[in-house]
């Protein structure tokens, strides 16, 4: 078995992180790496101490909100948001880091990526948000697709 590249190694870990997701519609994982070291991880789900969607239901599903729209209508935080918040809580700088995510970031997360000082994004899945692509391009943050299919892990529910 060949040794994985750094990108493959870190994207695999992002998929492992996604397994902790409490979202009923999509399991997403994100990690921030600096100097080939993981400094923070995040997955999507309800804020700490609040009930998960599996207990109260999915607002987005109940209201028929399509993927990529109305991000504010959700109990959960996105994986990228949680990764940045964990870095802040524990005093780790994300400046100059690379974000690995199991899916392309949304526009809300794209704005956080820019202000968090992330220099590169590696994603393994598409997401329907043209504004995110425009923002990251304008900020000159390269986004690279890494073609990876996990051999096991969370199944993504169709939107």
């Amino acid at each position: 078995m060949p040794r994985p590249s750094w990108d493959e190694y870190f994207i695999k870990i992002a998929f492992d992180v996604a397994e902790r997701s409490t979202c009923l519609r999509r399991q997403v994982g994100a990690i921030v790496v600096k100097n080939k070291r993981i400094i923070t991880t995040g997955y999507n789900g309800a804020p700490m101490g609040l009930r998960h969607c599996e207990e109260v239901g999915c607002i987005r599903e109940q209201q028929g909100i399509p993927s990529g729209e109305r991000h504010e209508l959700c109990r959960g935080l996105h994986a990228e948001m949680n990764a940045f918040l964990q870095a802040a809580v524990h005093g780790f700088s994300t400046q100059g880091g690379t974000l690995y995510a199991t899916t392309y970031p949304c526009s809300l997360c794209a704005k956080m990526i820019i202000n968090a000082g992330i220099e590169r994004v590696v994603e393994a899945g598409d997401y329907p948000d043209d504004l995110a692509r425009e923002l990251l391009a304008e900020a000159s943050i390269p986004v690279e697709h890494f073609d990876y299919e996990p051999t096991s892990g969370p199944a993504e529910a169709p939107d």
Side-chain angles (χ1 to χ4, degrees), residues 8-112:
E8 182 178 6
Y9 174 71
F10 290 125
I11 207 75
K12 283 180 177 182
I13 292 171
F15 274 94
D16 286 342
V17 171
E19 292 184 30
R20 291 281 306 152
S21 171
T22 61
C23 180
L24 298 174
R25 292 177 70 170
R26 177 186 297 250
Q27 288 72 46
V28 179
I31 65 173
V32 177
V33 173
K34 287 176 65 171
N35 302 317
K36 299 180 183 161
R37 301 289 180 259
I38 298 168
I39 63 165
T40 186
T41 67
Y43 53 86
N44 58 326
M48 292 186 300
L50 298 186
R51 294 176 294 159
H52 299 297
C53 295
E54 61 191 13
E55 298 172 67
V56 298
C58 175
I59 295 168
R60 297 177 63 75
E61 197 68 35
Q62 293 162 0
Q63 295 185 13
I65 300 167
S67 184
E69 297 179 16
R70 303 294 312 269
H71 303 294
E72 76 281 6
L73 295 177
C74 180
R75 289 182 62 82
L77 290 114
H78 292 185
E80 301 91 334
M81 294 174 183
N82 272 325
F84 295 139
L85 290 168
Q86 287 301 309
V89 165
H90 297 287
F92 296 114
S93 172
T94 56
Q95 185 77 34
T98 297
L99 176 85
Y100 290 86
T102 59
T103 191
Y104 199 98
C106 73
S107 56
L108 294 176
C109 291
K111 291 182 268 187
M112 291 183 186

